[in-house]
Amino acid sequence: MSTERMNILYNKKPCYDIVFSQDFQDLLPELDTLAISDRKVCIVADSKVNNLYGEEVSGLLSSKAKECKVFTFEEGESSKTLDTVKALYTFLIEHHFDRNDLLVALGGGVTGDLTGYAAATYLRGIDFIQIPTTLLAQADSSIGGKTGVDFDGYKNMVGAFYMPKLVYMNVSTLQTLEGRQFFSGFAEIMKHGLIKDSEFYVWLIENMYEICERQPAVLQEMVMKSCAIKKAVVEKDPTEKGDRALLNFGHTIGHAIEKALGFEMFHGECVAVGSVAAAYISWKKGYLPMEEYYEVRDMFVPFYLPISVEGIDPKEILQLTKSDKKVKGDHIKFVLIKHIGKAFIDETVTDEEILAAIEEIYFSEEDQHE
Ligand code: GLY
């Protein structure tokens, strides 16, 4: 498999490359392009990713940069806070990082988002690169310049659009992911097919076994195809004034469930359940044919993703849905689908329709006893 690349435009101008590889070695020529010989770099990673890849990546960076430091934090969504960003600022100040220096986000979505936010704000902005190591980060969060942290339990409430200088994907890192985490990332890939590209959706179903077995060539092709869809969306609407909001398919109810369950379920698992709910609303409002609703619902199952959820209070989920930041005035900007591959924004979804969708995905104790 050869190393491949894709350039992302920002405001219609070439901005940064995404490099797809099967190891970390091809990072070396990229570092030459970034001209880091007189710059300090700081790798930001959670302790788990640092144990897996920190030594190899810091070895490569040290061979090219003036100096290489590593900042680690505890793994998990609970670290995606201003407190972690503050600890990173302190670390950078103590190690005399200046505006010429560079941050390297090594890890999943939490790492990329919080490192990007620190890069956007430290000294009013320093360069950063993304080395995503999870499927969620490779397929979605490392592309498009969204950075930020959660605040007071609300997802991504504080942040900035800030573009990386490079996104380097070593797709072989997907082999070390725990199953739940791998498939959680897959939910965002499925989402790209559902909202924009029915051919890609069909390709995913046709390659189901290869994907579940994590065959390297198929994974690289899958990540590249998924990135091509995201590229088209973020290039057209980089700061989410319009079409980029389609990427929030499944996220309105998904985020509410994520918060209600205290981040016990993985993000992609919540997106899968939220996508089923959004497809249900699409059907009930007469946009999506019934058979396509059942198709969407059932196709998450072979990828080990949930289509229902226990232990929630549907009314609480409705309230949380309305406090999500995608609410515009009193209206929720709901992403619905007309058919597989064609999403649109609807501002007419009522509380009753949302509640009915939450009831549809709610697996209660009563259901258990039936
Ligand atoms: N993850 C959604 C977006 O990048 O807009």
Side-chain angles (χ1 to χ4, degrees):
M1 248 166 297
S2 56
T3 295
E4 297 174 270
R5 70 173 58 231
M6 193 182 277
N7 184 265
I8 303 288
L9 306 179
Y10 182 61
N11 291 334
K12 302 196 169 39
K13 292 195 190 80
C15 185
Y16 56 94
D17 278 352
I18 309 175
V19 175
F20 305 87
S21 179
Q22 287 291 331
D23 56 39
F24 287 118
Q25 286 308 311
D26 291 326
L27 193 54
L28 288 172
E30 304 301 325
L31 295 175
D32 288 334
T33 310
L34 288 168
I36 60 167
S37 60
D38 66 344
R39 307 168 80 181
K40 292 200 279 200
V41 297
C42 177
I43 297 175
V44 181
D46 70 35
S47 30
K48 187 171 169 186
V49 171
N50 188 43
N51 285 341
L52 283 168
Y53 307 119
E55 203 178 315
E56 183 176 0
V57 174
S58 72
L60 293 168
L61 286 165
S62 300
S63 73
K64 296 283 181 184
K66 187 163 111 188
E67 204 179 319
C68 178
K69 297 279 177 215
V70 182
F71 172 86
T72 59
F73 62 93
E74 203 179 313
E75 185 201 354
E77 185 75 28
S78 57
S79 288
K80 195 174 155 181
T81 60
L82 288 173
D83 287 342
T84 311
V85 173
K86 182 176 179 228
L88 175 54
Y89 291 150
T90 306
F91 183 90
L92 296 173
I93 292 165
E94 280 170 3
H95 292 91
H96 309 290
F97 272 68
D98 67 29
R99 216 177 255 149
N100 182 45
D101 297 329
L102 180 85
L103 299 188
V104 178
L106 175 65
V110 169
T111 305
D113 284 9
L114 80 85
T115 307
Y117 185 63
T121 47
Y122 183 70
L123 296 174
R124 298 198 181 88
I126 63 170
D127 288 350
F128 86 114
I129 65 174
Q130 295 257 27
I131 308 184
T133 59
T134 65
L135 188 51
L136 184 126
Q138 293 187 357
D140 185 27
S141 62
S142 66
I143 310 155
K146 274 191 181 174
T147 74
V149 292
D150 303 335
F151 188 80
D152 206 12
Y154 290 95
K155 289 272 293 181
N156 305 328
M157 210 60 191
V158 175
F161 286 101
Y162 194 66
M163 302 302 139
K165 291 292 167 198
L166 169 74
V167 181
Y168 185 93
M169 300 190 189
N170 171 0
V171 181
S172 79
T173 58
L174 302 181
Q175 304 296 338
T176 60
L177 293 179
E178 188 238 310
R180 246 185 101 191
Q181 204 181 20
F182 176 80
F183 290 107
S184 167
F186 182 80
E188 298 283 6
I189 293 193
M190 189 76 125
K191 178 195 79 181
H192 287 154
L194 289 173
I195 63 165
K196 278 280 169 199
D197 193 334
S198 58
E199 266 178 44
F200 180 53
Y201 172 83
V202 170
W203 183 90
L204 292 171
I205 306 302
E206 283 173 357
N207 286 278
M208 181 188 293
Y209 295 105
E210 293 81 354
I211 293 167
C212 290
E213 283 172 4
R214 304 193 206 179
Q215 287 186 13
V218 173
L219 291 192
Q220 184 162 328
E221 193 178 347
M222 174 183 82
V223 171
M224 282 192 67
K225 283 178 188 285
S226 179
C227 286
I229 296 173
K230 178 137 189 194
K231 166 183 160 72
V233 175
V234 299
E235 285 183 344
K236 196 170 153 214
D237 177 23
T239 51
E240 204 169 308
K241 302 276 189 297
D243 255 25
R244 184 167 179 165
L246 299 178
L247 296 171
N248 296 326
F249 180 70
H251 284 62
T252 307
I253 291 177
H255 275 167
I257 293 170
E258 209 173 350
K259 180 170 163 57
L261 295 179
F263 299 97
E264 224 172 73
M265 268 171 83
F266 287 13
H267 175 70
E269 294 173 336
C270 297
V271 169
V273 178
S275 299
V276 175
Y280 181 82
I281 297 173
S282 308
W283 166 36
K284 289 293 164 180
K285 283 181 86 67
Y287 301 123
L288 183 71
M290 182 183 73
E291 52 289 4
E292 284 196 45
Y293 163 63
Y294 285 111
E295 154 106 28
V296 170
R297 191 193 66 172
D298 295 345
M299 275 311 153
F300 285 109
V301 178
F303 295 100
Y304 304 92
L305 284 162
I307 55 171
S308 63
V309 56
E310 293 177 66
I312 52 161
D313 169 4
K315 291 208 176 74
E316 185 200 353
I317 300 298
L318 173 66
Q319 282 317 312
L320 288 171
T321 297
K322 292 167 78 171
S323 58
D324 192 80
K325 65 182 177 335
K326 283 171 276 303
V327 177
K328 190 180 142 197
D330 276 344
H331 299 287
I332 297 187
K333 284 197 327 182
F334 231 102
V335 186
L336 302 179
I337 47 176
K338 282 201 172 84
H339 52 77
I340 291 169
K342 180 81 191 120
F344 66 102
I345 292 172
D346 187 301
E347 293 188 26
T348 69
V349 180
T350 62
D351 285 6
E352 291 70 33
E353 287 166 330
I354 298 171
L355 199 56
I358 299 167
E359 300 280 1
E360 170 78 0
I361 53 154
Y362 172 46
F363 187 75
S364 69
E365 273 177 32
E366 275 166 38
D367 296 327
Q368 240 157 356
H369 295 136
E370 269 169 18

XYZ file of all heavy atoms in Angstrom, residues 140-141 143-144 146 188 191 230 234 240 244 247-248 251, ligand 1:
120
model
N -13.065 11.857 11.087
C -13.901 13.029 11.317
C -13.176 14.184 11.999
O -12.878 15.211 11.390
C -15.129 12.598 12.150
C -16.129 13.718 12.343
O -16.178 14.618 11.491
O -16.861 13.695 13.349
N -12.831 14.004 13.295
C -12.515 15.199 14.091
C -11.199 15.885 13.736
O -11.028 17.059 14.036
C -12.543 14.852 15.588
O -11.584 13.889 15.902
N -10.189 16.627 10.817
C -10.311 17.359 9.552
C -11.314 18.495 9.695
O -12.399 18.305 10.256
C -10.818 16.433 8.433
C -9.995 15.163 8.405
C -10.776 17.109 7.080
C -10.770 14.029 7.805
N -10.950 19.653 9.213
C -11.924 20.748 9.150
C -11.730 21.838 10.171
O -12.480 22.808 10.190
N -12.156 22.184 13.456
C -12.929 22.445 14.679
C -12.074 22.063 15.877
O -11.576 20.933 15.947
C -14.217 21.622 14.696
C -15.375 22.262 13.992
C -16.677 21.517 14.293
C -17.836 22.137 13.559
N -19.081 21.361 13.722
N -19.281 7.494 12.609
C -19.108 8.765 11.875
C -18.889 8.491 10.385
O -19.259 9.300 9.532
C -17.918 9.562 12.442
C -18.061 9.972 13.910
C -19.000 11.172 14.134
O -19.625 11.627 13.165
O -19.103 11.618 15.290
N -22.175 7.753 8.961
C -22.877 9.035 8.863
C -22.534 9.740 7.537
O -23.422 10.265 6.865
C -22.477 9.923 10.049
C -23.087 11.302 10.048
C -22.366 12.223 11.019
C -21.056 12.747 10.434
N -20.301 13.624 11.354
N -15.877 14.380 3.781
C -15.771 15.486 4.746
C -15.060 16.683 4.107
O -15.433 17.836 4.335
C -15.049 15.016 6.015
C -14.897 16.147 6.999
C -15.169 15.831 8.424
C -15.194 17.122 9.233
N -15.141 16.943 10.650
N -16.444 20.522 4.245
C -15.792 21.625 4.986
C -15.191 22.668 4.045
O -15.075 23.829 4.420
C -14.727 21.123 6.011
C -15.366 20.234 7.057
C -13.557 20.434 5.341
N -19.344 26.460 9.201
C -20.703 25.984 9.517
C -21.779 27.070 9.456
O -22.554 27.260 10.379
C -20.704 25.276 10.884
C -21.852 24.283 11.006
C -21.747 23.369 12.212
O -20.699 22.740 12.399
O -22.720 23.292 12.956
N -22.269 22.536 6.362
C -21.448 21.767 7.300
C -22.295 21.212 8.447
O -21.967 20.177 9.030
C -20.296 22.627 7.848
C -19.368 21.813 8.744
C -18.067 22.503 9.056
N -17.263 21.670 9.941
C -15.986 21.841 10.185
N -15.336 22.825 9.607
N -15.339 21.038 11.008
N -23.221 17.566 8.898
C -22.348 16.606 9.589
C -22.847 16.332 11.009
O -22.367 15.429 11.675
C -20.905 17.126 9.654
C -20.183 17.295 8.309
C -18.857 18.017 8.510
C -19.934 15.949 7.655
N -23.809 17.132 11.470
C -24.362 16.916 12.808
C -25.491 15.890 12.798
O -26.173 15.715 13.806
C -24.871 18.239 13.400
C -23.734 19.218 13.601
O -22.618 18.824 13.904
N -24.011 20.500 13.396
N -26.376 13.806 15.822
C -25.682 14.381 16.983
C -26.610 15.115 17.950
O -26.263 15.281 19.110
C -24.578 15.352 16.521
C -23.360 14.638 16.006
N -23.391 13.810 14.912
C -22.069 14.628 16.452
C -22.177 13.326 14.699
N -21.358 13.793 15.608
N -17.673 16.742 13.294
C -18.488 17.652 12.621
C -17.728 18.747 11.925
O -16.528 18.671 11.808
O -18.304 19.700 11.491
